[in-house]
Amino acid sequence: MAKQITVAAAQPKPVYRTNLFRARFIRDLALNKYLYIMMIPVIVFYVVFHYAPLYGAVIAFKDYSPVKGVFGSEWVGLEHFRSLFESYYFRRILQNTVLISIYSLLFAFPAPVILALMINEVRNRTFKRTVQTITYMPYFVSLVVICGIIKDFTNSGGLINQLVVALGGDGLALLQKPNLFRPIYIVSEIWQKIGWESIIYIAALMGIDQEQYEAARIDGASRLKQIWHITLPGIMPTIVIMLILRMGHMLNVGFEKIILLYNPVTYETADVISSFVYRKGLLEFGWSFSSAVGLFNSVINLLLLILANQISRKISESSLW
């Protein structure tokens, strides 16, 4: 007897979800068209300057020659990475980068949070606005000017040394002392960015329900307890997100400021990965080697970002994804 084979009728693919998503997107686009227009320059910037140049990372695995081009240059594999790890300077630049990043995380990262909390507790609006304006101003000054001011203040006849001499000490060229470079760098970073970076925390503070403070005052809670039990938990998600983002460029110590402040005398404590890449790539024309160093730096930053995000997801409800 012939077997009867029954074939289930093919079910049509559900397209209602696609149509629903499209309808929602079109409606959102119509409602927030100006926001989408404002996003265009940002998207173009990242595409042109961050995503389009990614193909150039291949020169880290080649003996790059401008005459032969990116894809015409000879393939050398991991030779440049091996040269980096065997380099006499590798341990120094990695140690300096990690130490400066850790010091920045320990001292520079909490500073805007503390400033925002202090400003939030001020009741005099005139004083509050004055403090905010004064702390914002250094961020908008050119980095070259900032470094010039730092050099003038720290040279043997600068303002800092004049105060030291007035107190009975000896004037020194502070930027010529390797052991003082990191403290000067961290203190200047705090001074330059504390006001600007506090803006996001001040905005987060504005979103805390004021009824919580009223209930706490009725219960007799002091201002310190209100900060500890209401204010800090209220901005903790923002702090966590900013910390995760900070971990994503942990090793990207700003080479512009380093280059403007350091000198051969302070290479021992001031030379970092980014400044090493600058010297090797632009001054010594070692394009492939510097690309290998930069790629190594980017991979480590990506791993730190993923690790920080995973830890945050396990211990809190805040994460980037």
Side-chain angles (χ1 to χ4, degrees), residues 60-308:
F61 305 93
K62 295 191 172 189
D63 185 13
Y64 176 70
S65 170
V67 177
K68 297 179 181 179
V70 175
F71 298 104
S73 299
E74 181 183 356
W75 184 272
V76 296
L78 300 177
E79 179 180 341
H80 298 300
F81 294 93
R82 189 159 41 248
S83 299
L84 169 64
F85 300 142
E86 296 174 355
S87 172
Y88 170 79
Y89 301 105
F90 175 70
R91 181 177 179 180
R92 184 184 73 180
I93 62 174
L94 183 61
Q95 178 180 342
N96 291 340
T97 304
V98 171
L99 286 177
I100 292 178
S101 298
I102 291 176
Y103 293 155
S104 178
L105 189 65
L106 292 177
F107 299 104
F109 179 78
V113 180
I114 296 173
L115 177 63
L117 294 174
M118 295 172 65
I119 291 176
N120 187 59
E121 294 300 313
V122 175
R123 295 295 175 258
N124 189 317
R125 292 187 178 181
T126 303
F127 180 76
K128 180 186 294 188
R129 291 174 181 175
T130 303
V131 171
Q132 287 179 294
T133 303
I134 293 174
T135 54
Y136 293 166
M137 281 170 35
Y139 184 82
F140 297 99
V141 179
S142 170
L143 185 59
V144 177
V145 176
I146 291 290
C147 292
I149 294 173
I150 296 172
K151 288 182 177 180
D152 289 339
F153 279 17
T154 57
N155 62 31
S156 56
L159 177 62
I160 296 177
N161 280 297
Q162 290 180 12
L163 295 174
V164 172
V165 172
L167 295 174
D170 297 326
L172 300 171
L174 302 180
L175 281 177
Q176 299 297 324
K177 301 293 181 180
N179 60 321
L180 295 179
F181 183 87
R182 293 170 187 158
I184 292 173
Y185 180 89
I186 298 300
V187 171
S188 63
E189 279 286 293
I190 295 174
W191 168 65
Q192 184 184 2
K193 298 180 179 179
I194 185 172
W196 176 258
E197 293 182 351
S198 67
I199 293 177
I200 189 169
Y201 301 112
I202 294 175
L205 288 170
M206 298 301 172
I208 300 177
D209 188 2
Q210 297 301 311
E211 293 183 357
Q212 298 182 46
Y213 292 103
E214 295 177 3
R217 284 192 291 269
I218 293 173
D219 292 338
S222 63
R223 296 181 72 173
L224 185 59
K225 288 185 177 180
Q226 292 177 37
I227 293 174
W228 184 257
H229 295 287
I230 300 176
T231 307
L232 279 177
I235 64 172
M236 189 55 66
T238 303
I239 295 175
V240 171
I241 293 298
M242 297 301 294
L243 179 60
I244 295 173
L245 293 175
R246 186 69 168 260
M247 295 297 296
H249 54 88
M250 188 73 172
L251 301 184
N252 287 347
V253 179
F255 77 96
E256 301 97 339
K257 192 172 184 179
I258 295 285
I259 290 171
L260 290 171
L261 291 179
Y262 80 162
N263 55 73
V265 178
T266 57
Y267 278 176
E268 178 185 350
T269 57
D271 195 20
V272 295
I273 293 176
S274 55
S275 60
F276 186 70
V277 170
Y278 166 76
R279 291 202 311 277
K280 290 294 183 180
L282 296 180
L283 301 184
E284 300 180 13
F285 305 105
W287 296 291
S288 294
F289 182 77
S290 62
S291 296
V293 179
L295 185 59
F296 165 78
N297 191 32
S298 299
V299 170
I300 297 299
N301 282 331
L302 177 61
L303 294 177
L304 289 175
L305 175 64
I306 296 174
L307 178 62

